[in-house]
Amino acid sequence: MKAVYFIGAGGIGMSAIARYFLRQGLCVAGYDKTPSKLTAQLEKEGMLIHYEDNVSMIPQQCLDPKETLVVYTPAIPSDHTELQFFRSNGFDLQKRAQVLGTLTEAHKGLCVAGTHGKTTTSTMCAHIMHGSKADCNAFLGGISKNYGTNYILSDQSDYVVIEADEFDRSFHWLRPWMTVITSTDPDHLDIYGTKEAYLESFRHYTTLIKPGGTLIIHTGLEMKADVGEGVTTYTYGTSDGDFHAENIRIGNGSITFDFISPIENVKDVELGQPVPINIDNGVGAMAMAQLNGCTAEELRQGMKTYKGVDRRFDFALRTDKHVVISDYAHHPKEIYQSAKSMREVYHDRHITAIFQPHLYTRTRDFYADFASALSQLDEVILCDIYPAREEPIPGVTSKLIYDNLAPGVEKSMIHKEDVLEYVNSRDFDVLIILGAGDLDNYVPQIAEIIKNKEA
């Protein structure tokens, strides 16, 4: 193999693998629908990217089927011209998850699965491990603020931390040495059809843990684990489970707790990103790191120096008068946790959310749950649904959420294109931008507008 071509090159998970192959000195190229900050960075690092579905734009180095691996994301439609070209000309095509699966065959895969919490938990675990004697490689689902990338390379560690994505059953390609399962609230029903099929997918995932490996599962999940011979199972949670937190202290912008563990308790763990939900994420991350040899001091240091992930409760502006936060939350449970954390941190402030729903099917299936979660806040501004890979569904719009918001919640609906003008016409106290779509592209400008108003 001399070249790797990515269809969907700018995806957060795809770009991590692209960086891996760039480090191996291969020719790395690809297509993406739209330019972004991430694709610009990949181009600086040596990747050849174009933004038009056009076979003639594929670099010459990627046209030999014997020497080129093609990696694609399941979000790419089957009628994509370049995808069809590679399929009909004998190229080796693999999903991103297949490539990661090969890595877990060759290394000790430390995987984090779950409907939500997996990006933060895996990034926390990678940061702890990378700063320890054990070290690790990592393929993350978000940009780590500690490293400015979603990929960590180690020349000497046999561990690889991987975010195990359940979309399209991608995580079934993995062979974990250890795995954390954070949550199993039904999602991606456009793929799975039913809640039961979704939970079955997680059960099957647990059968893939290598003999002698470990499952670390959150307490209270509906799924039934089905581990093989020699696999040890632990539970974890914020306040219950084999691994949990005690003596939680929240105040003055900090969160500290004691980590209770069947291996060794660790006192006075301080969160570098002091958000209440990160107690839960931190317990899962520390459990896996500790089971792989990290010491009490390495756990403390890793948690204290953890800076977070882009778009995960990410502060774009924080002054005495104004706060602007970006959060990737796009499932009702994620929205609920995000809103709950906002209420705990800013209990006496007026909190406004601008929410861009992600996918028509998810909005159709969960609009009432979205409305319930958002109703914890003072004001909700809804944008049009971000379609991603989907075609519109008749009758499914953001108004479904709007109509179900609780009485007393201030609410409005605007088009994404009008957001900046709308923000400029208002004065916000605490503002959170929610969703997995492209509204996040406006966050720097939103923060700048509010900052200028303050000045």
Side-chain angles (χ1 to χ4, degrees), residues 30 41 47 61 92 171 238 240 242 278-279 293 331 334 337 367 388 416:
Q41 186 58 43
M47 189 172 181
Q61 305 97 300
D92 179 14
F171 61 170
T238 298
D240 58 349
D242 299 316
N278 279 348
I279 301 170
H331 182 278
E334 293 170 346
Q337 289 292 352
Y367 66 86
K416 180 189 71 177

Side-chain angles (χ1 to χ4, degrees), residues 60-280:
Q60 191 67 34
Q61 305 97 300
C62 301
L63 292 175
D64 186 342
K66 295 191 183 79
E67 297 181 348
T68 305
L69 170 66
V70 179
V71 185
Y72 69 102
T73 166
I76 295 293
S78 57
D79 62 353
H80 190 273
T81 309
E82 292 185 15
L83 184 63
Q84 288 183 330
F85 166 79
F86 287 119
R87 276 195 171 134
S88 58
N89 284 280
F91 284 81
D92 179 14
L93 274 84
Q94 293 192 18
K95 291 182 181 179
R96 165 183 168 267
Q98 287 174 264
V99 180
L100 292 177
T102 303
L103 289 170
T104 59
E105 291 280 6
H107 299 278
K108 286 186 173 177
L110 308 181
C111 305
V112 181
T115 316
H116 34 262
K118 56 183 174 285
T119 300
T120 299
T121 304
S122 57
T123 307
M124 276 180 172
C125 183
H127 177 60
I128 297 167
M129 296 281 294
H130 188 56
S132 75
K133 290 186 187 69
D135 201 0
C136 71
N137 301 273
F139 294 89
L140 307 169
I143 301 295
S144 161
K145 290 175 129 350
N146 288 87
Y147 307 104
T149 181
N150 52 343
Y151 168 61
I152 297 171
L153 179 67
S154 166
D155 295 328
Q156 52 94 25
S157 180
D158 194 34
Y159 294 111
V160 56
V161 178
I162 288 176
E163 179 172 329
D165 188 3
E166 79 278 10
F167 173 68
D168 198 35
R169 298 177 174 82
S170 292
F171 61 170
H172 290 173
W173 291 101
L174 305 177
R175 288 301 309 277
W177 166 244
M178 290 191 185
T179 186
V180 171
I181 298 182
T182 63
S183 50
T184 55
D185 301 297
D187 195 11
H188 304 300
L189 296 186
D190 55 321
I191 301 291
Y192 288 99
T194 65
K195 170 184 169 180
E196 290 70 29
Y198 187 78
L199 294 174
E200 163 58 24
S201 186
F202 277 89
R203 184 207 64 79
H204 178 71
Y205 171 69
T206 63
T207 70
L208 303 174
I209 302 169
K210 290 178 179 177
T214 305
L215 169 64
I216 308 157
I217 188 168
H218 201 288
T219 57
L221 301 190
E222 281 191 70
M223 65 160 287
K224 297 282 189 288
D226 185 10
V227 297
E229 193 174 338
V231 174
T232 306
T233 298
Y234 294 98
T235 58
Y236 85 98
T238 298
S239 56
D240 58 349
D242 299 316
F243 297 91
H244 63 272
E246 287 183 3
N247 191 23
I248 298 169
R249 288 145 278 166
I250 301 176
N252 298 321
S254 71
I255 297 178
T256 308
F257 60 91
D258 297 339
F259 175 62
I260 306 304
S261 157
I263 298 163
E264 180 191 0
N265 294 346
V266 183
K267 286 188 172 295
D268 301 326
V269 175
E270 183 182 343
L271 288 180
Q273 193 192 33
V275 182
I277 187 58
N278 279 348
I279 301 170
D280 202 64

Side-chain angles (χ1 to χ4, degrees), residues 28 49 62 111 133 138 167 185 202-203 213 222 248 314 323 333 340 344 385 396 415:
V28 181
I49 307 178
C62 301
C111 305
K133 290 186 187 69
F167 173 68
D185 301 297
F202 277 89
R203 184 207 64 79
E222 281 191 70
I248 298 169
D314 191 0
V323 176
K333 282 288 176 73
K340 182 170 176 281
E344 289 179 37
I385 296 169
V396 178
H415 297 299

Side-chain angles (χ1 to χ4, degrees), residues 177-441:
W177 166 244
M178 290 191 185
T179 186
V180 171
I181 298 182
T182 63
S183 50
T184 55
D185 301 297
D187 195 11
H188 304 300
L189 296 186
D190 55 321
I191 301 291
Y192 288 99
T194 65
K195 170 184 169 180
E196 290 70 29
Y198 187 78
L199 294 174
E200 163 58 24
S201 186
F202 277 89
R203 184 207 64 79
H204 178 71
Y205 171 69
T206 63
T207 70
L208 303 174
I209 302 169
K210 290 178 179 177
T214 305
L215 169 64
I216 308 157
I217 188 168
H218 201 288
T219 57
L221 301 190
E222 281 191 70
M223 65 160 287
K224 297 282 189 288
D226 185 10
V227 297
E229 193 174 338
V231 174
T232 306
T233 298
Y234 294 98
T235 58
Y236 85 98
T238 298
S239 56
D240 58 349
D242 299 316
F243 297 91
H244 63 272
E246 287 183 3
N247 191 23
I248 298 169
R249 288 145 278 166
I250 301 176
N252 298 321
S254 71
I255 297 178
T256 308
F257 60 91
D258 297 339
F259 175 62
I260 306 304
S261 157
I263 298 163
E264 180 191 0
N265 294 346
V266 183
K267 286 188 172 295
D268 301 326
V269 175
E270 183 182 343
L271 288 180
Q273 193 192 33
V275 182
I277 187 58
N278 279 348
I279 301 170
D280 202 64
N281 295 327
V283 169
M286 285 190 291
M288 188 146 68
Q290 190 182 54
L291 286 165
N292 286 286
C294 290
T295 65
E297 191 48 45
E298 287 169 344
L299 293 173
R300 261 196 222 96
Q301 184 64 16
M303 293 302 292
K304 185 174 183 178
T305 57
Y306 173 76
K307 295 178 182 175
V309 183
D310 277 0
R311 296 183 72 180
R312 296 331 192 264
F313 219 84
D314 191 0
F315 286 91
L317 178 68
R318 182 164 36 175
T319 70
D320 291 340
K321 293 183 179 177
H322 296 101
V323 176
V324 178
I325 295 171
S326 170
D327 196 346
Y328 190 74
H330 57 283
H331 182 278
K333 282 288 176 73
E334 293 170 346
I335 300 277
Y336 174 82
Q337 289 292 352
S338 187
K340 182 170 176 281
S341 290
M342 294 290 286
R343 270 281 164 243
E344 289 179 37
V345 177
Y346 299 108
H347 55 88
D348 56 350
R349 308 274 295 266
H350 188 279
I351 305 171
T352 303
I354 304 179
F355 177 46
Q356 180 188 39
H358 185 266
L359 299 181
Y360 293 102
T361 52
R362 188 180 281 128
T363 306
R364 176 199 65 199
D365 295 335
F366 301 118
Y367 66 86
D369 298 323
F370 277 122
S372 175
L374 289 164
S375 292
Q376 296 177 86
L377 305 177
D378 300 296
E379 181 180 8
V380 177
I381 300 160
L382 288 159
C383 292
D384 299 322
I385 296 169
Y386 183 76
R389 57 189 178 269
E390 293 184 340
E391 294 298 320
I393 298 173
V396 178
T397 71
S398 298
K399 197 166 187 304
L400 287 171
I401 301 171
Y402 179 94
D403 289 342
N404 282 271
L405 289 165
V409 176
E410 299 170 48
K411 59 185 183 179
S412 51
M413 292 178 63
I414 59 174
H415 297 299
K416 180 189 71 177
E417 295 74 21
D418 300 327
V419 163
L420 295 180
E421 186 181 335
Y422 189 84
V423 169
N424 198 37
S425 70
R426 295 279 309 278
D427 186 24
F428 295 101
D429 182 5
V430 177
L431 177 63
I432 182 165
I433 314 300
L434 291 167
D438 59 357
L439 187 59
D440 182 72
N441 294 337

Side-chain angles (χ1 to χ4, degrees), residues 34-70:
T34 51
S36 66
K37 194 163 70 173
L38 184 51
T39 56
Q41 186 58 43
L42 287 168
E43 289 187 72
K44 276 188 193 171
E45 292 171 25
M47 189 172 181
L48 307 171
I49 307 178
H50 60 267
Y51 304 95
E52 182 186 326
D53 179 14
N54 186 337
V55 171
S56 68
M57 299 181 79
I58 300 169
Q60 191 67 34
Q61 305 97 300
C62 301
L63 292 175
D64 186 342
K66 295 191 183 79
E67 297 181 348
T68 305
L69 170 66
V70 179

